Amino acid sequence: MVRHVYTVAGLKVVSDLPMPGLLPGPSLDGSPDTADVTIARAVLPPAAMANAHHELNFEIADLMRMSMRHGTTMLYDPLPDALADDMALYLGGTGFGALLHQRGMVLLHASAVRIGDAAVLFCGPSGAGKSTLAAALVEAGYDHVADDFCAISFAADGTPMVAPDGRRHKLWDSAVDGLAAHHRKGVAVRSDMAKYYVDPHRTVATPLPIAAIFELAVGDQVAIEALGGLGLVRVMREHAYRPHLVSLMGQHRHYFDAAAAIARHSRTGQLIRPLQFKMMKSTINTVERYLDRQ
């Protein structure tokens, strides 16, 4: 059996299904037992309710059944005519979101880059421009940390940390054009979508402290408005990755405590900017100036 190795949220993953959205990970020294997470095909019954902390079951219409178990195992059962890349998209997104919630991780719907010696996170809903802004910062010379979701943990002294995630950027054609990244453009994210995986050319391999978290918003001018502790609590609630899983698993207090810890150690703000690509340089300059004011 061909085994594919990846790094997701700092975890070693071995999969029998190729995951085009993930960058190849380190060797497992020939043994799948050294993996933190295993992805494997299996025969699954129709999705049923279970103890969400131990088993989460989903059925994706016309595609597959999937089951996340104990935070260590992801099983999938293709439906007729399912395309492998489409299955990989859901396993790499919703599947890992569920699995990491089972592991007790705090997950933000965010992309991250390294600026200086720390990570800067950009959070927001789908379509907010997280991947595009992060990719533009990488093109400007910074290192890629994570795309689409960020797994947050806390060091012994309470410092919030984000794990490196071996995930490719997901960019629309217009962003690929704007970044002149055609030479790093891969396959389509989904068979019916003009959005593509793009290799980041600069990545990190170790966890980083979080310097700042920005909530993305749209406006006429580029600006950053500071968010207080209550603002960060709202951001953590609204931009948790798959918020319904936070409710399902009773993790609201966990996220509230995480917001309080992050507020003590990191800067938080709302990054307002026009979505036109011509304003990207101004947006990056504004972020750099804000972070320099410490």
Side-chain angles (χ1 to χ4, degrees), residues 8-11 37 68 71 74 93-107 149-151 165 167 241 249 251 255:
V8 176
L11 302 172
V37 176
M68 280 57 66
M74 195 182 309
T94 297
F96 268 112
L99 194 92
L100 297 176
H101 277 295
Q102 286 179 330
R103 296 181 74 98
M105 290 185 173
V106 173
L107 293 180
F149 69 64
C150 291
D165 194 65
R167 203 170 291 266
Y241 191 79
M249 304 186 73
Q251 294 176 330
Y255 276 68

Side-chain angles (χ1 to χ4, degrees), residues 188-267:
V189 170
R190 204 170 67 196
S191 56
D192 60 349
M193 183 182 290
K195 193 175 191 179
Y196 298 89
Y197 295 118
V198 175
D199 282 350
H201 60 79
R202 300 169 59 95
T203 62
V204 300
T206 58
L208 293 171
I210 297 174
I213 296 178
F214 295 107
E215 179 187 36
L216 297 184
V218 179
D220 295 331
Q221 302 294 326
V222 180
I224 294 176
E225 297 180 359
L227 292 172
L230 290 178
L232 181 57
V233 169
R234 176 190 60 77
V235 167
M236 296 287 288
R237 182 182 68 248
E238 293 182 3
H239 303 302
Y241 191 79
R242 303 297 187 259
H244 68 283
L245 293 176
V246 177
S247 298
L248 180 65
M249 304 186 73
Q251 294 176 330
H252 289 292
R253 181 55 188 262
H254 184 38
Y255 276 68
F256 180 87
D257 292 343
I262 292 169
R264 289 193 294 270
H265 291 86
S266 309
R267 306 176 74 179

